[in-house]
Amino acid sequence: MLDSDMLESRSGTIKIANVSYETLQAFVDYLYTAETCLDDQMAGELLALGEKYQVKNLKPYCEKFFISNLNWDKSLKLFAFANKHNCEQLRSASLDVIMNHMPDLTQNDYYDELVQNNPLLLLEIYEKSMFKGIATIDNF
């Protein structure tokens, strides 16, 4: 932005809208040190910023954080988030957790939201579960 003939290069400033001060501070910290303090909300916001501004290693950095803190309660929400942001490792890890808890799927706090906002992801989960069941039967 600062090297090309864009408004940012002419003014010498970059305006980043819809980002909290804390997130912007963490983003700048990461740019200078390649690390920052994360929690679930911060990791999500930074991952999106990293994707938007093409900060090469920020997206995998945040993805690793999510995977290291992945559990059943977070799995559906993170599966949807990973799908939205093309995070293949997080998507795969979340789906593995979901497959291990299929009997409890409808009890997950995020289930109803997924039904309303992204039923195709639920269809993918159910299809994967069915094929996993078929593979298990074929192994007998």
Side-chain angles (χ1 to χ4, degrees):
M1 285 184 204
L2 294 174
D3 289 339
S4 61
D5 188 32
M6 296 178 76
L7 176 63
E8 290 84 2
S9 66
R10 291 190 296 270
S11 69
T13 60
I14 298 172
K15 293 186 181 185
I16 300 177
N18 302 323
V19 176
S20 70
Y21 174 81
E22 293 79 16
T23 302
L24 189 55
Q25 181 64 50
F27 185 64
V28 172
D29 287 347
Y30 183 84
L31 293 175
Y32 281 101
T33 66
E35 52 187 50
T36 191
C37 293
L38 296 175
D39 59 24
D40 286 346
Q41 181 177 345
M42 183 66 68
E45 292 172 4
L46 285 176
L47 188 144
L49 270 178
E51 187 174 42
K52 180 177 181 179
Y53 291 104
Q54 299 175 4
V55 177
K56 183 179 177 181
N57 294 315
L58 183 54
K59 186 174 175 179
Y61 178 80
C62 295
E63 207 171 345
K64 283 180 189 176
F65 170 82
F66 281 129
I67 292 169
S68 70
N69 292 291
L70 185 58
N71 62 37
W72 165 239
D73 294 330
K74 298 176 184 179
S75 62
L76 274 181
K77 188 172 187 174
L78 287 175
F79 180 67
F81 178 83
N83 189 67
K84 178 179 179 180
H85 292 283
N86 301 310
C87 300
E88 287 306 316
Q89 290 180 338
L90 178 58
R91 192 176 196 283
S92 178
S94 299
L95 192 54
D96 287 346
V97 171
I98 293 165
M99 289 298 107
N100 290 329
H101 290 85
M102 279 305 291
D104 303 319
L105 182 63
T106 60
Q107 303 307 309
N108 188 290
D109 291 340
Y110 195 71
Y111 182 83
D112 290 336
E113 191 168 332
L114 209 53
V115 167
Q116 293 295 317
N117 298 326
N118 206 335
L120 289 178
L121 280 182
L122 278 178
L123 180 60
E124 182 180 339
I125 291 167
Y126 283 118
E127 285 177 344
K128 170 109 178 172
S129 177
M130 278 180 38
F131 290 126
K132 181 180 176 185
I134 291 170
T136 302
I137 292 170
D138 287 344
N139 291 334
F140 280 105

